[in-house]
Amino acid sequence: MADVKGIPESNEKYEGGFLQEVVRIGKGALRLLYRLNTDEITLDEFVDGLIKLNASDVLTKYWAYDEGDSYVLDLGRQILWLINSLERDCYYQFERYGITAFHEDFRELRDYLLALEKHCRIKI
């Protein structure tokens, strides 16, 4: 995945930092999910990493944000919501379903990021 700097700064639809925040947090969460799924990190390290990404605060900040492309805003909120719910519920998910519960989360987050990349014509 490339750097977030590939996002066009002159594009008025994505000014204000929303897209940059979503991409930064989404990429970080995707890396953490990959590392958890490949047993590189423990569940506690995964949760600590998610907390450091601060998705819940960004979700709160941009929940009512409505400037720009509504599809991008909805997709960004879905990404933030998914990460926020992982942070809150991952111990329960792990206890109930085991590590395989996070395989689907990885695919879902990856698909959201790819859709964002395609729609915005940016390289993530």
Side-chain angles (χ1 to χ4, degrees), residues 21-116:
E21 288 284 339
V22 169
V23 170
R24 178 188 63 80
I25 291 169
K27 285 173 57 175
L30 197 62
R31 278 189 209 104
L32 288 168
L33 278 165
Y34 177 80
R35 293 181 70 207
L36 179 66
N37 285 328
T38 58
D39 294 328
E40 292 179 36
I41 59 174
T42 65
L43 190 59
D44 290 334
E45 292 170 323
F46 174 70
V47 172
D48 289 342
L50 287 179
I51 290 169
K52 288 177 185 173
L53 290 175
N54 207 18
S56 60
D57 287 346
V58 175
L59 181 61
T60 301
K61 177 181 175 182
Y62 288 111
W63 187 255
Y65 187 73
D66 65 352
E67 295 181 23
D69 187 334
S70 62
Y71 177 76
V72 171
L73 294 173
D74 289 343
L75 199 52
R77 287 186 194 110
Q78 286 176 318
I79 290 169
L80 294 172
W81 182 84
L82 174 64
I83 296 165
N84 186 44
S85 66
L86 272 171
E87 181 184 322
R88 286 181 289 126
D89 299 333
C90 71
Y91 287 110
Y92 173 75
Q93 275 187 327
F94 184 76
E95 183 180 300
R96 186 163 179 151
Y97 305 109
I99 194 68
T100 57
F102 300 104
H103 297 315
E104 182 60 32
D105 292 322
F106 178 85
R107 284 190 294 275
E108 186 175 1
L109 181 56
R110 181 201 60 208
D111 291 347
Y112 283 152
L113 287 169
L114 289 173
L116 193 63

